[in-house]
Amino acid sequence: DTGVSQDPRHKITKRGQNVTFRCDPISEHNRLYWYRQTLGQGPEFLTYFQNEAQLEKSRLLSDRFSAERPKGSFSTLEIQRTEQGDSAMYLCASSSTGTQIRLGYTFGSGTRLTVV
Amino acid sequence: KNQVEQSPQSLIILEGKNCTLQCNYTVSPFSNLRWYKQDTGRGPVSLTIMTFSENTKSNGRYTATLDADTKQSSLHITASQLSDSASYICVVSGMGGGADGLTFGKGTHLIIQP
């Protein structure tokens, strides 16, 4: 296992199109998180899963955003009808409930979305 | 409202010099504080995690300190290298910060010049 993988690394899309990102967490991690980061800012929490259950969603997650983790392994984040304000780095992170405090999160390299 | 403030916003130093980055927080109750290094275009990588009872922790040339009474932390980088050029993000775990109560700072952008 080489860590948290995100695909694609970069995505350029036209305004109004739908996009979907994928995250593969560390296999033994039961928690998976999605964050959004704009230039010069820290990551902002979007949502997280424990196994397949989506336990929390930020108010930043408008109804155009949906995230799934159907089998408790990989997750997808879909943005419908993209807007220019959606341009950002979308980060995925994973952790284990048992070691979260001691080891923290492992982040993926992110997906850079540009809406033109 | 839980907040994490980092200073300076950006810093330029010469290779080989030392530097210290600051983090002040108002997160309460406090669980732990983390420092991450984020290279441009990459995800954050954990440097240190400190709980309430720990006041210093080292990871190679990186040394983090924590004063839970004054709610301040610092990250000291010794003998800087060009590869230290990155953003350094302070993250505090408490309540109400979203998933695990994490509140992120905006980061300090560090540039090491040869």
Side-chain angles (χ1 to χ4, degrees), chain A residues 9 31 33 35 37 40-43 45 48 56 89 91 100-105 107-109, chain B residues 31-32 34 36 38 41-46 49 51 89 97-100 102 104-107:
Chain A
R9 290 293 315 279
R31 286 191 168 187
Y33 312 79
Y35 285 84
Q37 185 178 27
Q41 303 294 314
F45 168 72
Y48 93 98
E56 188 175 348
M89 173 79 88
L91 291 166
Q100 198 271 127
I101 290 179
R102 181 167 56 86
L103 299 178
Y105 292 6
F107 281 89
S109 292
Chain B
S31 175
N32 59 78
R34 316 166 189 203
Y36 284 87
Q38 186 174 23
R42 310 288 295 186
V45 174
S46 180
I49 300 176
T51 60
I89 302 174
D100 303 322
L102 294 187
F104 286 75
K106 294 183 178 181

Side-chain angles (χ1 to χ4, degrees), chain B residues 18-21 61-65 74-79:
Chain B
N18 303 336
C19 66
T20 299
L21 314 180
R61 294 179 297 101
Y62 300 101
T63 299
T65 64
S74 65
L75 180 69
H76 186 74
I77 303 175
T78 304

Side-chain angles (χ1 to χ4, degrees), chain A residues 53-65:
Chain A
Q54 189 173 18
L55 296 189
E56 188 175 348
K57 293 193 288 187
S58 161
R59 56 181 174 80
L60 293 176
L61 209 69
S62 75
D63 56 6
R64 296 185 299 105
F65 288 70

Side-chain angles (χ1 to χ4, degrees), chain A residues 84-98:
Chain A
Q84 287 189 320
D86 296 332
S87 295
M89 173 79 88
Y90 289 84
L91 291 166
C92 176
S94 70
S95 73
S96 169
T97 307

